[in-house]
């Protein structure tokens, strides 16, 4: 591991951050310059000629000539790219195809060029610069981190282009950079089996007591990592003590050989970890790495629900949002710990915002970055070097304020991810807010939850499906359901008004232990990569939780 390169990396990251801060003081100019350069670069592609990019001189012309499109508007081009055709969306060769998770719809393929990847790489460096500054302000140091994302691609198209999760593409194309950041060899991420990959990353990282951070795409995956560390603590300590790699791991012989060459016994560290395990009764990240300084994972959306359980494993370790990114590109960059708002990434794309009163319009009017208002919800459009223009990714963001001249945004929910018994439009953000408050009100850690609708009824009942954390009991389920109903009325005023005489009372279903593990396994079987694993917390698919054990169903007295 080349520790001496970390100071160089952080120095470059600090410069990237300083340049970004300088640029956001002139957000409009930087955004217009980005768009002009992109249009000039892409003017002679097939799509560039179709929309006359060569003749566009202003942002207003761009809005008039290029339509707002969802993925279906680009799908035929992407299929041709996958077969090997060139100069369709971008003049640069497509070197990789990012796959979206597919957890909330059909999986999509997003073209990645080196130019596109480089623009995102600078956003990542900027993020590291902000992280380093935030750590310094707390008298903490930046250092190596634990990451368990797979570096394995999913496959290769008939045109010879690799495709897979965006994180795998980033890791493979930025291998040298990320090797400087990992507390474990890059090769640990090549294990195909998820548990094996986590185990190997733990094994090498535990050998380094000075590790500083851990990163995962979503908070749910951080909790899964903590659970794996607890579950395999004895085996890990034994391997550290003996210098072995457990023979039960699903590991290709060649990869095992590579890792064994880099592995050796560390009895002193094993003794230290064994003492922690025996005295505390468990091994958590905060106990294993006393200098743990941060957790990097997604903020906004459903994250707050999972953050309620972070202290159980991580104590008061602060959470850094890193970047708000999708397979289609990076939207914003976080600048401090425990903040939901992140700064629009004005150097990675050209962004437009559709106000809520324009969402149902066939040709909605858009606002620029400096024209949005704090407290308002917007659909966000991105134009970047993937070759997608004015692309509607389906994300709804809220503007929380401004940092210099750039808006601070936070993801709230996916448009279309709405639950309605009649027309009340409960969003995933509404549901998460309610469940987070209920966990606090009842002192009740939940493994997870999902709100669905009752079958064969109209209007349908809300079914509040919950799984309790291990060894937890809900002493008064009736009060829990009553509070759910009351708080949802307060948070979603449309539910409150419809609940009076149109929406029937909700029902509570307490699911058996391991129910949501079954749901996640079903998703993995559909081909969703484990590092992209998430599932909707509201669903109008009435069979989404089919086949799970219902231990108790509770109804309100008014039924």
């Amino acid at each position: 591991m080349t520790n001496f390169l970390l100071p160089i990396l952080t120095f470059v990251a600090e410069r990237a951050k300083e340049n970004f801060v300088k640029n956001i003081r002139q957000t409009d100019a930087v955004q217009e310059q980005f768009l002009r350069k992109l249009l000039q670069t892409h003017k002679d592609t097939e799509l560039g000629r179709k929309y006359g990019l060569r003749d566009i001189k202003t942002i207003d012309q761009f809005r008039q000539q290029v339509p707002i499109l969802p993925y279906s508007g680009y799908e035929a081009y992407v299929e041709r790219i996958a077969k090997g055709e060139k100069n369709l969306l971008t003049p640069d060769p497509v070197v990789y195809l990012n796959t979206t998770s597919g957890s909330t719809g059909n999986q999509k393929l997003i073209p990645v060029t080196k130019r596109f990847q480089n623009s995102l790489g600078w956003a990542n460096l900027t993020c590291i610069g902000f992280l380093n500054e935030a750590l310094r302000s707390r008298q903490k140091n930046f250092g190596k981190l634990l990451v368990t994302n797979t570096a394995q691609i999913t496959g290769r198209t008939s045109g010879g282009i690799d495709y897979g999760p965006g994180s795998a593409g980033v890791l493979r194309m930025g291998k040298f950079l990320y090797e400087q950041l990992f507390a474990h060899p890059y090769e640990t991420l090549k294990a195909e089996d998820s548990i094996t990959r986590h185990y190997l990353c733990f094994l090498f990282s535990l050998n380094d007591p000075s590790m500083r951070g851990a990163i995962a795409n979503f908070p749910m995956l951080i909790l899964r990592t903590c659970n794996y560390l607890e579950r395999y603590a004895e085996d890990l300590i034994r391997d550290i003590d003996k210098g072995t790699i457990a023979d039960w791991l699903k590991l290709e012989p060649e990869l095992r050989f590579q890792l064994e060459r880099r592995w050796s016994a560390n009895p002193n560290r094993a003794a230290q970890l064994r003492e922690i395990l025996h005295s505390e009764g468990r091994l958590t990240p905060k106990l294993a790495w006393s200098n743990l300084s941060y957790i990097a994972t997604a903020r906004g959306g459903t994250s707050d629900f999972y953050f309620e359980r972070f202290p159980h494993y991580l104590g008061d370790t602060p959470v850094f949002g890193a970047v708000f990114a999708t397979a289609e590109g990076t939207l914003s960059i976080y600048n401090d710990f425990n903040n939901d708002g992140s700064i629009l990434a004005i150097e990675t794309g050209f962004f437009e915002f559709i106000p809520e009163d324009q969402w149902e319009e066939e040709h909605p009017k858009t606002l620029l970055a400096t024209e949005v208002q704090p407290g308002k919800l917007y659909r966000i459009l991105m134009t970047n070097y993937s070759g997608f223009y004015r692309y509607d990714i389906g994300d709804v963001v809220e503007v929380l304020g401004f940092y210099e001249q750039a808006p601070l945004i936070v993801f709230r929910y996916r448009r279309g991810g709405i639950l309605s018994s009649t027309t009340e439009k409960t969003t995933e953000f509404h549901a998460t807010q309610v469940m987070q408050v209920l966990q606090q009100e009842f002192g009740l850690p939940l493994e997870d939850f999902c709100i669905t609708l009752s079958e064969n009824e109209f209007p349908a009942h809300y079914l509040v499906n919950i799984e309790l954390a291990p060894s937890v009991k809900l002493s008064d389920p009736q009060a829990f359901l009553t509070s759910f109903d009351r708080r949802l009325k307060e948070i979603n005023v449309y539910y409150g008004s419809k609940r009076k005489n149109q929406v029937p009372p909700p029902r509570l279903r307490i699911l058996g232990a391991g129910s949501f593990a079954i749901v996640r396994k079903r998703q993995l079987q559909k081909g969703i990569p484990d590092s992209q694993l998430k599932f909707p917390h509201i669903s109008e698919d009435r069979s989404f939780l089919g086949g799970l054990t219902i231990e108790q169903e509770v109804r309100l007295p008014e039924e």
Side-chain angles (χ1 to χ4, degrees):
M1 306 296 278
T2 48
N3 284 304
F4 69 91
L5 289 176
L6 268 180
I8 299 174
L9 174 63
T10 53
F11 175 81
V12 174
E14 288 280 356
R15 300 292 82 75
K17 184 261 296 180
E18 289 171 4
N19 188 64
F20 176 72
V21 171
K22 182 179 72 174
N23 282 339
I24 59 178
R25 292 178 183 140
Q26 43 185 352
T27 290
D28 281 340
V30 171
Q31 280 281 272
E32 184 171 1
Q33 182 183 25
F34 180 95
L35 181 62
R36 285 178 182 275
K37 185 176 180 182
L38 183 145
L39 296 179
Q40 182 67 22
T41 303
H42 287 197
K43 63 185 179 183
D44 292 323
T45 63
E46 182 171 314
L47 197 66
R49 292 193 299 272
K50 176 180 178 180
Y51 291 131
L53 300 188
R54 174 186 296 275
D55 302 321
I56 294 176
K57 306 300 181 186
T58 67
I59 291 174
D60 283 342
Q61 276 186 299
F62 176 66
R63 287 160 156 167
Q64 291 165 6
Q65 288 183 216
V66 181
I68 296 170
L69 291 175
Y71 181 73
S72 57
Y74 295 94
E75 191 167 13
Y77 290 99
V78 176
E79 288 175 355
R80 290 167 59 194
I81 289 170
K83 293 175 182 176
E85 290 192 52
K86 302 184 187 305
N87 201 38
L88 300 178
L89 299 178
T90 72
D92 304 325
V94 173
V95 296
Y96 190 74
L97 290 164
N98 282 348
T99 56
T100 61
S101 68
S103 57
T104 55
N106 294 329
Q107 199 171 67
K108 306 175 184 70
L109 295 173
I110 312 300
V112 176
T113 65
K114 288 185 178 178
R115 192 194 306 258
F116 177 51
Q117 192 60 50
N118 287 342
S119 70
L120 306 186
W122 278 108
N124 291 338
L125 278 172
T126 301
C127 151
I128 293 171
F130 277 121
L131 172 59
N132 194 40
E133 181 180 59
L135 287 168
R136 280 204 315 269
S137 72
R138 291 161 174 79
Q139 289 76 53
K140 295 183 181 295
N141 295 320
F142 181 76
K144 300 271 186 170
L145 59 86
L146 169 75
V147 58
T148 60
N149 286 12
T150 179
Q152 290 283 358
I153 63 169
T154 303
R156 183 167 291 162
T157 70
S158 60
I161 302 173
D162 292 342
Y163 65 90
S167 57
V170 168
L171 289 170
R172 289 161 67 91
M173 284 183 270
K175 182 174 180 286
F176 176 78
L177 168 65
Y178 295 108
E179 280 182 323
Q180 316 316 314
L181 294 173
F182 297 159
H184 45 87
Y186 176 85
E187 286 73 21
T188 56
L189 303 179
K190 292 182 177 180
E192 291 188 24
D193 177 68
S194 177
I195 291 176
T196 297
R197 188 170 62 254
H198 280 79
Y199 188 98
L200 292 169
C201 293
F202 284 141
L203 188 63
F204 283 86
S205 298
L206 284 169
N207 214 26
D208 179 5
S210 65
M211 192 188 80
R212 297 288 178 171
I215 186 169
N217 289 353
F218 306 111
M220 181 183 76
L221 301 180
I222 291 287
L223 291 174
R224 181 184 66 177
T225 297
C226 295
N227 180 267
Y228 284 166
L229 179 59
E230 252 188 333
R231 187 188 306 177
Y232 299 110
E234 290 278 9
D235 285 1
L236 288 161
I237 293 170
R238 186 182 309 114
D239 277 346
I240 293 170
D241 188 27
K242 304 297 183 184
T244 53
I245 296 178
D247 57 12
W248 55 265
L249 296 174
K250 297 177 181 177
L251 200 53
E252 291 292 320
E254 176 59 28
L255 184 55
R256 177 180 285 275
F257 175 73
Q258 291 176 21
L259 292 171
E260 284 178 342
R261 290 179 60 187
R262 304 186 63 167
W263 182 238
S264 58
N266 189 343
N268 290 337
R269 177 60 171 156
Q272 184 183 41
L273 293 168
R274 189 175 290 113
E275 173 58 30
I276 293 171
L277 181 60
H278 289 165
S279 62
E280 301 291 338
R282 63 183 186 143
L283 193 62
T284 67
K286 191 66 174 176
L287 293 170
W289 295 284
S290 59
N291 292 318
L292 192 71
S293 301
Y294 67 93
I295 300 296
T297 192
R299 299 190 66 93
T302 63
S303 296
D304 285 351
F305 169 78
Y306 296 106
F307 289 156
E308 290 292 317
R309 293 186 62 199
F310 270 35
H312 178 69
Y313 295 104
L314 301 163
D316 61 356
T317 307
V319 178
F320 185 66
V323 294
F324 168 22
T326 67
E328 296 89 347
T330 297
L331 288 86
S332 57
I333 301 168
Y334 282 82
N335 69 306
D336 206 349
F337 291 121
N338 300 330
N339 282 351
D340 281 344
S342 51
I343 308 166
L344 189 70
I346 62 170
E347 299 170 325
T348 69
F350 176 75
F351 298 97
E352 299 171 74
F353 298 81
I354 304 178
E356 203 166 358
D357 62 6
Q358 293 287 309
W359 287 359
E360 304 305 324
E361 298 295 324
E362 184 178 356
H363 301 292
K365 296 177 181 177
T366 64
L367 300 176
L368 301 181
T370 57
E371 297 173 334
V372 296
Q373 297 179 34
K376 301 287 189 181
L377 295 176
Y378 300 91
R379 279 164 49 201
I380 190 167
L381 308 179
M382 62 166 60
T383 298
N384 60 29
Y385 284 105
S386 68
F388 287 14
Y389 311 92
R390 312 193 77 201
Y391 178 56
D392 187 353
I393 62 175
D395 282 358
V396 173
V397 301
E398 181 182 353
V399 174
L400 300 184
F402 280 83
Y403 188 106
E404 300 290 354
Q405 293 182 14
L408 291 164
I409 63 173
V410 61
F411 170 75
R412 287 307 185 202
Y413 60 89
R414 295 275 302 170
R415 190 161 187 262
I418 288 175
L419 191 71
S420 289
S421 173
T422 56
T423 58
E424 70 279 7
K425 296 182 179 178
T426 294
T427 69
E428 192 168 39
F429 182 51
H430 291 142
T432 303
Q433 287 178 290
V434 172
M435 299 307 287
Q436 182 188 2
V437 170
L438 290 180
Q439 284 192 110
Q440 296 168 351
E441 179 183 345
F442 288 85
L444 186 74
L446 297 178
E447 192 68 27
D448 227 318
F449 77 95
C450 184
I451 302 172
T452 56
L453 298 173
S454 60
E455 294 187 52
N456 305 317
E457 293 180 289
F458 184 83
H461 296 267
Y462 278 38
L463 301 179
V464 185
N465 302 278
I466 65 172
E467 180 186 339
L468 302 174
S471 305
V472 171
K473 300 292 182 185
L474 178 54
S475 58
D476 193 346
Q478 190 78 237
F480 184 91
L481 182 59
T482 300
S483 186
F484 169 87
D485 191 37
R486 182 180 74 254
R487 294 189 181 280
L488 186 55
K489 290 174 183 175
E490 295 168 355
I491 287 174
N492 180 6
V493 293
Y494 299 109
Y495 175 86
S497 63
K498 303 288 183 184
R499 180 68 181 82
K500 294 175 183 176
N501 52 26
Q502 295 184 43
V503 176
R507 297 170 180 170
L508 174 66
R509 285 183 170 177
I510 301 175
L511 304 180
S515 291
F516 285 104
I518 294 172
V519 175
R520 293 179 191 118
K521 186 175 180 181
R522 290 173 181 171
Q523 288 186 293
L524 291 173
Q525 289 170 344
K526 291 179 181 178
I528 298 173
D530 74 315
S531 58
Q532 293 179 295
L533 190 60
K534 56 186 176 181
F535 63 86
H537 290 82
I538 58 172
S539 177
E540 288 195 334
D541 178 357
R542 304 190 189 200
S543 63
F544 183 61
L545 302 180
L548 301 180
T549 300
I550 301 169
E551 293 190 342
Q552 185 180 4
E553 180 168 300
V554 180
R555 302 185 180 192
L556 292 176
E558 64 186 89
E559 278 204 69

